[in-house]
């Protein structure tokens, strides 16, 4: 049976946390050869970060993390806040580290996780999407917000899901 879980690092079962980190390492370090950035970057430990995962028969098949920084709109040029936001608005949440095990791809598991994260966030959600996935994220309601750029040597595009 497939289940979706979510927890902060503090509340996650240690075995599940291990399987999440193992999957992310497999996808980002071994498959995509991303070695110039730290996969374990400390952001998972923040109180405002929520981990999501799909589990089946004790195996984590897909995962992502949702970063929810409470950055006021007036915080300055580094704050990512939609142009229509008022003075009390906060930066959108950010989905990242979306990874699916090779044997589980094509089953819609990552899409299920993104939808769960969007619902949980309760606010606009940004993503730095790998450019080849722009159409896939577009089908989930994300819209491109800027030009392509390189991150970890991979072509990316900024996108935003605007909460209705």
């Amino acid at each position: 049976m497939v289940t979706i879980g979510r927890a902060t690092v503090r509340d996650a079962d240690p075995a599940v946390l291990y399987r999440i980190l193992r999957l992310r390492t497999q996808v980002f370090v071994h498959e995509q050869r991303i070695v110039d950035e730290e996969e374990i970057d400390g952001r998972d430990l923040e109180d405002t970060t929520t981990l999501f995962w799909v589990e089946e028969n004790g195996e984590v098949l897909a995962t992502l993390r949702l970063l929810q920084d409470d950055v006021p709109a007036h915080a300055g040029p580094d704050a990512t806040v939609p142009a229509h936001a008022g003075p009390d608005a906060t930066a959108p949440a950010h989905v990242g580290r979306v990874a699916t095990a090779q044997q589980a791809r094509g089953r819609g598991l990552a899409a299920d996780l993104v939808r769960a994260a969007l619902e949980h966030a309760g606010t606009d959600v940004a993503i730095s999407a790998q450019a080849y996935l722009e159409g896939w994220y577009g089908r989930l309601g994300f819209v491109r917000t800027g030009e392509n750029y390189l991150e970890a040597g991979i072509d990316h595009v900024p996108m935003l899901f605007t909460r209705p």
Side-chain angles (χ1 to χ4, degrees), residues 46-67:
E46 296 174 9
D47 291 339
T48 56
T49 298
T50 304
L51 303 175
F52 289 78
W53 66 92
V54 172
E55 195 170 6
E56 183 177 52
N57 299 323
E59 191 63 31
V60 171
L61 299 178
T63 186
L64 65 76
R65 71 179 180 190
L66 179 69
L67 306 175

Side-chain angles (χ1 to χ4, degrees), residues 7-163:
T8 62
V9 165
R10 179 179 39 253
D11 296 330
D13 176 275
V16 169
L17 181 58
Y18 170 82
R19 291 193 295 272
I20 288 169
L21 296 175
R22 183 177 67 190
L23 174 58
R24 285 174 28 184
T25 301
Q26 177 61 38
V27 170
F28 299 122
V29 176
H30 298 292
E31 287 181 29
Q32 296 184 1
R33 306 278 186 227
I34 300 173
V35 294
D36 58 338
E37 287 191 13
E38 268 189 64
E39 170 51 35
I40 311 302
D41 62 0
R43 298 291 318 259
D44 296 305
L45 297 172
E46 296 174 9
D47 291 339
T48 56
T49 298
T50 304
L51 303 175
F52 289 78
W53 66 92
V54 172
E55 195 170 6
E56 183 177 52
N57 299 323
E59 191 63 31
V60 171
L61 299 178
T63 186
L64 65 76
R65 71 179 180 190
L66 179 69
L67 306 175
Q68 291 185 285
D69 300 326
D70 191 22
V71 179
H74 50 74
D78 295 332
T80 309
V81 179
H84 65 273
D88 295 327
T90 58
H94 186 90
V95 166
R97 301 300 202 268
V98 181
T100 303
Q102 204 166 29
Q103 74 274 14
R105 293 178 189 156
R107 295 175 54 186
L109 302 177
D112 291 342
L113 282 182
V114 170
R115 287 185 198 100
L118 293 174
E119 185 176 322
H120 178 76
T123 187
D124 294 352
V125 178
I127 189 163
S128 298
Q130 291 187 11
Y132 82 95
L133 292 169
E134 181 178 358
W136 185 82
Y137 283 109
R139 289 190 294 277
L140 293 170
F142 286 84
V143 176
R144 173 193 278 263
T145 59
E147 298 299 317
N148 289 40
Y149 60 94
L150 286 180
E151 183 177 319
I154 297 173
D155 192 22
H156 279 73
V157 60
M159 301 185 80
L160 183 70
F161 175 87
T162 303
R163 191 130 185 111

